[in-house]
Amino acid sequence: MSEALYDCAQKTDIHAVIQTFEASEPLIPDTLVEISRAYDLSIIEASETMMPLLESLLFESGRPLVLFPASHVCGRIDTVAIAWDGSAPLSTALTGARLFLEGASKVILISITDDGSMNEKARTRYADVLRNSGLDVEVVVARANGEEVAFAIQSTARAVHSDLLVAGAYRHSKMRELVLGGVTRSLLADLEMPVLVAP
């Protein structure tokens, strides 16, 4: 596995480092959170068994996560979709996605709305910033039509042939316990494509 990683990294002129560590339950999440703070982002497989670890990394590391579905094999990231909602978590995710955006040939801003309440002015401003950076930008507005928003976001991103989806992540306080917001939990629990998320 490590040899394959180093080989792929070398072919793309990326310096790869594999960080090993020793820890046992229940200290593994805390150890990984501490390690992840030293790096720009963490890449991890999204699965039900990994959900507690994902939540710890997502909300305690201060770094974005790139999540892959267990069944997905990723190639070149050429088209990046952004689940646009104009929020602070999305702004954090976009900062973490800068490397992917700079290497993309196309960026698609996706807004899912059933009531037309999206802040179009903010979306247009961000699209202009990307265009001024030399990127080809498209805006897609879609309706959920009764589907879960997370499903509508992913199905729209796949329909426009995106290789990576960038989204903000939300959490809610419930009886002093921080839990993932509904759309975020649905997105991570039923991941169908690589997603970069940040709180």
Side-chain angles (χ1 to χ4, degrees), residues 4-198:
L5 174 64
Y6 285 130
D7 185 49
C8 289
Q10 188 176 22
K11 289 177 182 175
T12 55
D13 290 328
I14 294 173
H15 177 68
V17 175
I18 296 177
Q19 174 72 56
T20 60
F21 68 94
E22 290 185 19
S24 56
E25 288 292 351
L27 301 177
I28 292 174
D30 291 340
T31 303
L32 285 174
V33 164
E34 182 182 331
I35 291 169
S36 70
R37 289 178 180 150
Y39 300 97
D40 293 333
L41 55 83
S42 296
I43 301 172
I44 193 165
E45 180 183 299
S47 64
E48 191 60 39
T49 57
M50 296 293 284
M51 195 61 73
L53 177 59
L54 294 180
E55 290 184 30
S56 292
L57 284 170
L58 185 58
F59 294 115
E60 295 173 30
S61 71
R63 298 294 194 178
L65 290 179
V66 176
L67 306 171
F68 286 87
S71 60
H72 187 84
V73 177
C74 182
R76 175 173 161 70
I77 295 176
D78 192 53
T79 301
V80 177
I82 298 170
W84 179 262
D85 62 3
S87 66
L90 177 62
S91 294
T92 303
L94 290 170
T95 299
R98 196 70 199 169
L99 178 66
F100 297 105
L101 293 172
E102 289 171 355
S105 63
K106 187 167 192 176
V107 177
I108 301 170
L109 300 179
I110 299 173
S111 294
I112 302 295
T113 178
D114 282 335
D115 58 10
S117 63
M118 188 60 56
N119 185 337
E120 294 180 21
K121 186 175 181 181
R123 184 181 61 210
T124 300
R125 183 184 305 118
Y126 186 69
D128 289 343
V129 167
L130 292 176
R131 286 185 184 111
N132 289 337
S133 298
L135 292 168
D136 179 15
V137 180
E138 180 183 340
V139 175
V140 174
V141 179
R143 295 188 176 275
N145 293 327
E147 296 175 328
E148 283 192 27
V149 173
F151 180 81
I153 290 168
Q154 285 192 88
S155 61
T156 303
R158 285 193 329 273
V160 295
H161 309 290
S162 300
D163 304 303
L164 175 72
L165 174 64
V166 179
Y170 298 86
R171 61 182 174 184
H172 301 300
S173 178
K174 184 178 180 182
M175 297 179 65
R176 296 185 181 177
E177 180 183 4
L178 293 172
V179 295
L180 288 171
V183 173
T184 303
R185 180 165 289 284
S186 295
L187 181 64
L188 300 186
D190 194 21
L191 208 60
E192 298 177 0
M193 63 185 300
V195 177
L196 185 149
V197 289

